[in-house]
Amino acid sequence: METRDVSARTAEQSAGTHLQPGQVLHERYQILRVLGTGGMSAVYEARDLNFPNVVRRCAVKEIAIAPTKPLVLAQQRELFEREANLLASLSHPAIPKIYDFFNEEEYSYLVLELIHGEDLETLLRRHGGPLPQAAVVRWAVEICEVLHFLHTRQPEPIVFRDMKPSNVMLNEYGHIVLIDFGIAKIFRGEERGTMIGTEGYSPPEQYRGIATPQSDIYSLGATLHHLLSGCDPTKEAPFTFHQRPLRQYNPTVSPELEAVIMRALAYEASERFATAEEMRRALLPLAGRAGQPDPAVFPTVHISSEPAVQPLWTFRCEDEVRSSPRVAGGVLYIGCYDHNLYALRADSGQFLWKFPTEGGIAATPVPWEDLVIIGSEDGALYAVLASTGRQVWRFPTQGRVRSSARIAYNHAFFGSDDAYVYAVQARGGRLLWKAATSGPVRSSPAVADEMLVVGSEDGYVYALQLQRGTLIWRYFCGGGVISSPLIWEGMAIVGSTDRYLYALDIHSGWPVWRFRAEKPIISSPAGMGDTIYVGSADGNLYALESASGRLRWKFSTGGQVNSSPAVAGDAVYVGSSDGCVYCLDARTGKLRWKFETQGPVVSSPLVHEGAVFIGSLDHHVYALPAAG
Amino acid sequence: MGKKRRTAGEEQEPPPVPAPMVAARNDIPYAHVLFSMASHIGMVREENEDSAFAWLQHLSTHEGLQTLGLFMVADGMGGHLNGEAASRLAVQTAGESLLRHVVLPLLGSETMAPAVPIQEAIAEAFQAAHQRLQEEVPEGATTLTIVLLVGKRIYVGHAGDCRLYLLRGGELRQLTRDHSLLHRLFELGQIDEAELEALDQDVRRNALYRAVGQSSPLEIDLASHSLLAGDGLVLCSDGLWGTVRRADILSILQQAATPADACQALVEAANARGGPDNITVIVVHPAG
């Protein structure tokens, strides 16, 4: 396995100084200078003294042999001679000619055609950034040609095995030449001890000792990715090219070229190009000007446009629908700014009843047993019969109730703009306790064990004891907390207007991690597996690793995302103030479909039995088909 | 853990006495934490390139018992004296950073909650160690795994191939992932768990793609896990896990009476199998 060993640096240095300029090797090759060193080898420029009347220069590659048993050494040398003989039989303009090979002391030597030029790694470093697409494609076509030549040798295909920028030279005429056929590897000893670095260009199967023509195609893909992105794969986790989309690093790369390279980099060998010739044919149409392939030659890369989504049904209210739907017993409940709580049939949207309050309704209704509990901007929390909408009880507060109630242990917990958190009996509406904060409480409480966690616009997240409302801990965020906490793996995860999403240990209130968006986070997080999803006023829906808060992906909408995402199956749904409802692949963030309403969407979607329910400020409630 | 048991708001009326809504709180695990640490040069190496750090604080106040623990293992590399220096400096630098930024402010604060998220403090400790290594031991690098224990939760920062295992319900679960080529192949399904276990002794497992002091920027894994009563933790260098099979580590842990016995037996087991590498292990366990 190719490795870059930290301790090998000293070996490189000693290899580089083994032969001095002027010294004559093998009574024939006069060393002129050191061309380069790498690993356990060095390359010198030498003059062939067998041609006394002309200056015939050559390259001498010296390979230091790692100490080993005599028998192993004999086998290695035999292999070396066989490989050298094989290469000496090859004739191709992109392969340097081998003139001679021999062993001396603990070194083996290859005498090769001297290539005047520069390797691509040096070129990349000198250029200091991604190389232009047109040049890279031209080289890639030439590399495919020589790979095709190697792969079609008889009786056995020859696999180059070590395609990387430093092994591709650009000669004085601007053509590519492959150097270093990996012969040096024959002599590599067993590496011991912990070391740093993996080769970065080799395909997964090569580490299991499998090297096929498809392995070279992968390595060529990796090389091209490095040249065009400037992103060195030896410095990244192995096999992670797909996490570094080329065009993200270099937008001048055409989508067609990116598609070709990503296919070469397919993790499964069978998904790559079958032959180097096939890859060459895919590259040829791109060899013209950057980003302008000839559409007549290049097969269209199908970029799926999202299919049109038809609502299952819609329902029109008298005002904006900011509230989020809930479904129980086949009935959908949702509040509206026209003061009403609506009950609709979930399968058809058919109107069943409405219950008028004295103010607009922004909160989410909560079905519980035979009741539906909802807060109103008129300052009260209501309980009505789910079957008829008849009022059962009403609990008044001194401020608007935008917080949605959480029912636990037969009590409804909710907040009010009067800055209190309330616990009332769900059956009779009788107060159990109220706890003061210093700002409006629009966040909806989360319940964990015997604890209630809720945010306030005073900037604190409060953990209150369920039975009495006494404070267990509180944590100060830099801004108001309108978002509702999600209890996830022993953490309370909640957004703040200070732009952070916080993960707090529910037992201690200690912050575990935080994630910074560009604008306030009003949206409430949702979790699935090891991923947390949350929207921000910066327009993005974020997917974060729940253990660390690290960004997995983000999806940019055209407006603020104050709607709270819903995850179902392998899809995540969210609304945006750009008027759209989005359905994204939960794993990748890729758009599955979007549905455009006629007004901003601040309502949060509910996924239930194959349908996505959501409200819009265009006065409508929509039922959309869920993905898959 | 900063539990302030005071009333957050006035109570409007004498509260009705409801039926207990929840069961009484479970006993806090880690009320008394025991740990032990061992580091041994092994049977082959001439230097011990591992470094480790273990620190535990119990603070008992009217609010109850608060436990804070900090455990680190680092495995240096770079040959000559570089590996030794790299792991030692990393542990010292990260340890100082965390004690200064997390532990000391807690002792001096009224809320007893840290100002920045713990994972940020851990990331900062890694960056401090990374920078110091690049300045002072440019030829060296080190793996580094940090475990900060706070009550019922551990916070983990990780780069390289030291391992943190969770002992729970008679099973040993690896909480960290090795930043090695071999483990990456496993993650991608190229090799299965049996092959991976078989290859634990393979020389190729040593090729890392991430370590403190290497190329910038340093990327680390951060995670946090809730602990249950009875959980145990094992933090070790590859001199242990690369030599002693997981099943054997588990049975040694189950047979040991104390963390000190466990550490001793684990080092002996690695040396009995040739001790090809330095062996460092920290075992953390609640009192029986």
Side-chain angles (χ1 to χ4, degrees), chain A residues 169-331:
Chain A
M169 290 276 290
L170 208 54
N171 71 14
E172 55 200 319
Y173 309 109
H175 293 291
I176 65 101
V177 178
L178 299 187
I179 57 168
D180 195 349
F181 271 73
I183 288 182
K185 283 183 189 163
I186 295 167
F187 293 107
R188 181 163 299 118
E190 281 206 329
E191 282 126 352
R192 286 273 170 215
T194 308
M195 68 196 81
I196 280 299
T198 60
E199 200 265 332
Y201 300 92
S202 298
E205 71 273 10
Q206 202 156 321
Y207 294 99
R208 291 189 302 164
I210 299 169
T212 64
Q214 276 78 34
S215 309
D216 280 346
I217 286 171
Y218 180 97
S219 300
L220 174 56
T223 299
L224 299 178
H225 189 287
H226 186 180
L227 297 178
L228 289 166
S229 69
C231 199
D232 184 349
T234 65
K235 295 195 166 70
E236 306 288 341
F239 326 119
T240 52
F241 292 102
H242 291 266
Q243 294 168 24
R244 295 190 297 283
L246 204 41
R247 281 163 50 77
Q248 206 167 298
Y249 290 84
N250 181 357
T252 69
V253 173
S254 67
E256 291 81 6
L257 179 58
E258 181 178 47
V260 168
I261 291 172
M262 283 309 177
R263 181 166 168 204
L265 284 168
Y267 185 67
E268 295 295 337
S270 59
E271 289 169 19
R272 298 174 205 148
F273 293 98
T275 64
E277 173 58 19
E278 188 189 341
M279 182 165 172
R280 189 186 73 95
R281 282 201 304 269
L283 284 165
L284 268 182
L286 308 174
R289 280 171 295 169
Q292 297 182 350
D294 181 350
V297 197
F298 192 80
T300 313
V301 176
H302 183 69
I303 299 165
S304 62
S305 58
E306 60 274 8
V309 175
Q310 291 300 323
L312 302 169
W313 54 258
T314 61
F315 178 83
R316 186 180 167 84
C317 308
E318 300 301 314
D319 206 334
E320 297 174 341
V321 183
R322 296 172 172 268
S323 166
S324 302
R326 285 292 175 268
V327 173
V331 180

Side-chain angles (χ1 to χ4, degrees), chain B residues 139-150:
Chain B
E139 293 295 309
T142 186
T143 75
L144 178 62
T145 303
I146 297 179
V147 179
L148 188 66
L149 169 71
V150 183

Side-chain angles (χ1 to χ4, degrees), chain A residues 322 337 362-364 377 399-406 414-421 437 439-445 454-458 460 480-485 497 522 524:
Chain A
R322 296 172 172 268
Y337 255 56
T364 303
E377 304 238 344
R400 295 180 290 194
V401 181
R402 292 181 167 180
S403 163
S404 307
R406 190 80 58 185
F414 70 101
S416 162
D417 277 9
D418 66 9
Y420 282 95
V421 180
T437 77
V441 181
R442 294 175 173 178
S443 163
S444 302
V454 69
S456 164
E457 292 210 34
D458 64 11
Y460 281 94
V481 182
I482 302 168
S483 165
S484 302
T497 56
I522 312 275
S524 303

Side-chain angles (χ1 to χ4, degrees), chain A residues 1 3 6-7 9-10 190-198 204-205 207-209 235-240 243 267-268 408-409 411 413 420 425 430-436 449-451 464-475 488-491 500 505-514 545 547-550, chain B residues 1-13 15-16 18 20-22 25 45 66 68 75-80 102 106 112-120 138-141 143 150 152-153 155 161 181 184-185 188-191 203-204 206-211 214-216 219-224 226 238 277:
Chain A
M1 185 181 60
T3 55
V6 174
S7 61
R9 288 176 190 163
T10 48
E190 281 206 329
E191 282 126 352
R192 286 273 170 215
T194 308
M195 68 196 81
I196 280 299
T198 60
E205 71 273 10
Y207 294 99
R208 291 189 302 164
K235 295 195 166 70
E236 306 288 341
F239 326 119
T240 52
Q243 294 168 24
Y267 185 67
E268 295 295 337
Y409 305 105
H411 285 73
F413 301 91
Y420 282 95
Q425 289 174 346
R430 196 174 135 95
L431 182 73
L432 175 65
W433 52 257
K434 64 176 186 175
D449 299 335
E450 76 282 34
M451 184 190 293
L464 306 175
Q465 202 265 355
L466 264 193
Q467 294 178 44
R468 299 184 178 282
T470 49
L471 186 67
I472 299 172
W473 52 258
R474 60 177 189 169
Y475 178 79
W488 199 256
E489 289 164 6
M491 298 180 289
Y500 282 102
D505 178 59
I506 55 166
H507 295 291
S508 63
W510 280 31
V512 177
W513 51 257
R514 60 182 173 182
E545 189 179 274
S548 65
R550 189 165 283 168
Chain B
M1 281 160 289
K3 291 196 174 61
K4 291 268 182 271
R5 302 217 180 265
R6 63 166 194 251
T7 307
E10 78 268 25
E11 281 161 12
Q12 202 174 46
E13 53 188 81
M21 291 194 286
V22 288
R25 177 188 284 265
R45 298 295 182 84
Q66 176 172 286
L68 269 176
D75 177 0
M77 63 204 96
H80 308 292
V102 176
L106 291 182
M112 295 196 64
V116 297
I118 305 298
Q119 290 192 354
E120 287 180 25
E139 293 295 309
T143 75
V150 183
K152 293 178 177 179
R153 181 172 284 277
Y155 301 83
D161 69 346
L181 181 63
R184 182 82 188 133
L185 288 168
L188 293 170
Q190 273 286 325
I191 54 178
V203 288
R204 294 185 302 172
N206 292 317
L208 304 185
Y209 58 85
R210 206 175 275 174
Q214 272 299 302
S215 55
S216 288
E219 206 185 316
I220 59 169
D221 286 352
L222 292 167
S224 96
S226 286
D238 64 342
D277 200 351

